[in-house]
Amino acid sequence: MQNTSSTTRKLVITAVLIAISIVLSIPLNMGPFISLGFIALGPVIAITIMHVPAIIGGILEGPWVGLVVGGAFGVFSLFLASQQPAGSPNAIFVDPIISVVPRLFIGPVAWLVYTGLRSANMQLRLIFSAVAGTLTNTLLVIGAIALRLNVPFFATLASVSVNLVLELIVASVIVVAVVSALRGTASGRTGSSV
């Protein structure tokens, strides 16, 4: 049975990560689809880091926190898509099978990789978890789009391959930095799940 401070910490971390996901998703008035968590590097290349809080939640507090944070990211993505004008490319995310369901798996997959590599170096565990969570987001969203809209999976994957490579790198750097910093702050805590 978990003690009260552990449960409180889990709830606080979950709430903070959900808030960060929402802030990263809020559109800026700099153009279509631009937000703090969606970085355009020109007309063709754009990367997202909106899935990273779900990865961090899974690593820090386990699969259920990762699932809840990823679900919140998906629900907010669905809400934002519903605000888009008709014909907008982002409008495909009004389908919860595309916007919500894939995001539920980001944190649990990251946690599974993190715990499965227990004997590995901590930085490698974090990098592989970030890669696994990022791939989960991308592959499941593309898979859901292929399933629901009958578009070719591999052609869509190929069209985002440069973005995906950049997202893998950026997510890995952020996850290593954030989790390492939090582990450093919490190193005096006993029974930490970090």
Side-chain angles (χ1 to χ4, degrees):
M1 184 172 159
Q2 288 186 320
N3 63 32
T4 307
S5 66
S6 174
T7 303
T8 302
R9 185 187 74 241
K10 199 174 287 267
L11 288 172
V12 168
I13 288 174
T14 303
V16 167
L17 290 172
I18 288 171
I20 291 169
S21 289
I22 290 171
V23 168
L24 288 175
S25 301
I26 294 173
L28 302 173
N29 291 330
M30 296 169 57
F33 317 117
I34 305 296
S35 69
L36 292 176
F38 190 79
I39 305 151
L41 304 172
V44 182
I45 299 174
I47 59 172
T48 182
I49 57 170
M50 291 182 280
H51 62 290
V52 171
I55 295 170
I56 293 170
I59 292 169
L60 290 178
E61 296 298 333
W64 290 107
V65 170
L67 182 136
V68 169
V69 175
F73 162 40
V75 168
F76 198 67
S77 174
L78 173 71
F79 168 74
L80 288 177
S82 71
Q83 307 304 307
Q84 295 291 319
S88 161
N90 207 28
I92 61 172
F93 290 98
V94 295
D95 183 343
I97 292 178
I98 296 172
S99 58
V100 180
V101 174
R103 276 65 187 266
L104 295 173
F105 296 95
I106 299 168
V109 168
W111 170 83
L112 192 62
V113 170
Y114 182 75
T115 56
L117 296 174
R118 226 179 266 278
S119 61
N121 168 290
M122 180 57 65
Q123 283 198 334
L124 284 179
R125 290 174 73 190
L126 294 173
I127 290 168
F128 280 113
S129 300
V131 166
T134 301
L135 287 174
T136 298
N137 180 53
T138 301
L139 296 178
L140 291 184
V141 168
I142 290 173
I145 291 169
L147 178 72
R148 302 292 281 177
L149 303 177
N150 198 26
V151 297
F153 176 85
F154 289 107
T156 306
L157 181 59
S159 73
V160 299
S161 59
V162 173
N163 297 1
L164 177 57
V165 170
L166 293 172
E167 286 174 12
L168 293 171
I169 294 167
V170 172
S172 297
V173 169
I174 292 171
V175 168
V176 169
V178 170
V179 175
S180 298
L182 290 173
R183 284 178 55 90
T185 347
S187 60
R189 197 172 67 210
T190 56
S192 169
S193 60
V194 179

